[in-house]
Amino acid sequence: MDKQGSKQPKDTEQLILEAAITEFSTKGFDGARTSTIAANAGVTHAMLHYYFRTKEKLFERIFKDKIRYIINMVISPMVESGGSIKQRIREGIEKHFEFLLANKELPIFFITTINSRPEAYQEIIGEFSSIAHGRLNALQQELDKAHENGEICKVRADQLIGDIASLNVFPFLAHPMLMAATGHSDYDSYMEMRKKEIVEIIMKRIS
């Protein structure tokens, strides 16, 4: 299964992207080496450069792909899908959590990026700001409509997305500490428990 959840075999480009996420996450942009990425992906250095040309382009591709995926596959369905707003929010939370399960290095990658290359982070985020604002505005309209109909309490879309992101991301940053502190040893069962708990927290928040 690839990082986006499909069952197609991983191709060369996907292998390079996965190896690059790990390299950037652990070493930051400046410390990352394309030679190491190529070796970990099982390809030649020349093959990596054939696909991505430079380390900067490889970095930008990862960042843009993941942001686009989160917007299109997590936030947009809360607005565009059928069903009640509560059901759409529940599905959005679960999709985001499952996306992180398939991309465990991603939270560290984003944090490392913000710290080591803030200018690149701001530039890339800027490209998506109008799309993100449009989705948030559409979600706010849906939330306001549901509130007027008595389905949920008054909720701000930006705060709701912030709550979901914070609750979903934290277990992936701190799971060794959390599991040790709570006595859990099975990673998969612990994460499934966290997903259910987060859904319940958000559902209670909006009810």
Side-chain angles (χ1 to χ4, degrees):
M1 182 177 291
D2 72 15
K3 292 291 183 182
Q4 306 292 33
S6 70
K7 296 183 179 179
Q8 296 300 319
K10 295 175 183 177
D11 58 18
T12 300
E13 184 176 287
Q14 183 65 27
L15 290 170
I16 293 171
L17 290 170
E18 291 182 11
I21 290 176
T22 300
E23 180 75 356
F24 286 130
S25 298
T26 55
K27 299 180 181 177
F29 180 86
D30 292 333
R33 296 289 178 266
T34 53
S35 57
T36 303
I37 294 170
N40 290 338
V43 303
T44 64
H45 202 217
M47 181 64 73
L48 183 148
H49 282 280
Y50 169 79
Y51 277 95
F52 296 103
R53 302 300 179 191
T54 66
K55 183 167 73 169
E56 286 79 5
K57 290 188 180 300
L58 175 56
F59 169 85
E60 290 176 6
R61 167 65 184 277
I62 294 170
F63 212 100
K64 289 179 180 179
D65 277 2
K66 299 308 181 183
I67 293 175
R68 187 179 294 110
Y69 183 84
I70 290 171
I71 292 174
N72 291 337
M73 299 302 294
V74 178
I75 300 177
S76 294
M78 291 186 186
V79 178
E80 299 167 0
S81 301
S84 70
I85 188 65
K86 284 187 175 181
Q87 183 60 34
R88 282 179 274 160
I89 291 172
R90 177 184 293 272
E91 291 174 358
I93 298 167
E94 292 174 343
K95 283 184 178 180
H96 184 229
F97 197 94
E98 288 159 7
F99 170 72
L100 292 172
L101 272 176
N103 295 266
K104 296 181 180 67
E105 300 92 349
L106 205 58
I108 297 294
F109 170 73
F110 277 110
I111 289 173
T112 302
T113 298
I114 294 169
N115 290 332
S116 65
R117 284 178 64 78
E119 71 289 345
Y121 168 78
Q122 290 295 335
E123 181 180 344
I124 294 171
I125 289 295
E127 293 183 28
F128 290 92
S129 61
S130 61
I131 299 173
H133 289 158
R135 296 293 192 274
L136 281 176
N137 288 337
L139 177 58
Q140 187 65 65
Q141 292 177 16
E142 291 291 304
L143 293 171
D144 291 344
K145 186 190 304 181
H147 173 61
E148 291 171 3
N149 293 336
E151 300 174 47
I152 61 174
C153 66
K154 185 68 174 177
V155 180
R156 282 184 49 164
D158 58 343
Q159 294 301 314
L160 175 63
I161 295 301
D163 290 342
I164 293 171
S166 300
L167 288 168
N168 275 353
V169 168
F170 185 71
F172 294 91
L173 295 175
H175 72 269
M177 176 185 68
L178 292 174
M179 291 177 67
T182 56
H184 290 276
S185 58
D186 187 321
Y187 177 86
D188 291 337
S189 65
Y190 178 76
M191 286 303 191
E192 182 63 26
M193 180 182 68
R194 286 306 308 152
K195 181 175 72 172
K196 292 178 180 178
E197 181 70 13
I198 291 164
V199 168
E200 291 307 309
I201 290 171
I202 296 296
M203 290 299 103
K204 289 178 181 178
R205 162 67 184 86
I206 66 176
S207 295

